[in-house]
Amino acid sequence: MRAVILEGLYNLLEPVVLIKARKQDLPMVQSLVGECLNSYKQQSGRDCKVVVDESDFLGGDTSGGIIIQSGNGKIRMRSTLETRLENVARENLPQIRNALFGANPNRKFMD
């Protein structure tokens, strides 16, 4: 979870961020925020204020992870287990297609 929080901070590079997590993950996220802020400041040289949302949690259909967004809510990064699995599946789809059906000589692009 520490790496997921840091990844979100590095991707957003915002002075204020809001983190949403599952209700059962809230104590763990709160305990990691200070450590992540120290590492973020040391690596990026920027200050950041992290607010952990204690009233709005991720839904029960989420298996884990966080949603991190800018303070004004305009930029949102979903880093839940489900979104990460969707990204991996989309990235590996050409290899899966090739393994199942073989190479298509008519296909020009391998996206």
Side-chain angles (χ1 to χ4, degrees):
M1 185 67 78
R2 179 184 184 278
V4 172
I5 295 171
L6 278 172
E7 179 184 15
L9 292 174
Y10 290 134
N11 282 332
L12 292 180
L13 293 173
E14 292 285 323
V16 179
V17 297
L18 176 72
I19 295 178
K20 292 183 183 182
R22 297 185 312 162
K23 190 171 186 176
Q24 58 264 40
D25 293 339
L26 189 63
M28 177 178 52
V29 170
Q30 289 173 329
S31 68
L32 290 172
V33 165
E35 178 185 339
C36 291
L37 280 175
N38 290 338
S39 180
Y40 173 76
K41 184 172 182 171
Q42 189 177 32
Q43 294 292 322
S44 69
R46 296 173 178 243
D47 286 322
C48 182
K49 178 183 177 190
V50 175
V51 178
V52 179
D53 195 342
E54 298 179 5
S55 60
D56 188 20
F57 304 106
L58 294 181
D61 59 340
T62 304
S63 299
I66 61 169
I67 294 177
I68 186 166
Q69 65 185 25
S70 62
N72 58 12
K74 291 185 177 180
I75 305 170
R76 178 176 292 172
M77 183 182 135
R78 295 182 53 88
S79 191
T80 61
L81 180 61
E82 290 78 15
T83 56
R84 287 179 172 263
L85 289 174
E86 288 171 12
N87 291 340
V88 168
R90 189 174 355 139
E91 290 173 5
N92 292 322
L93 191 60
Q95 291 88 0
I96 295 169
R97 184 184 310 120
N98 193 23
L100 291 174
F101 306 113
N104 184 346
N106 298 323
R107 191 170 183 90
K108 291 183 181 181
F109 304 103
M110 301 296 174
D111 55 345

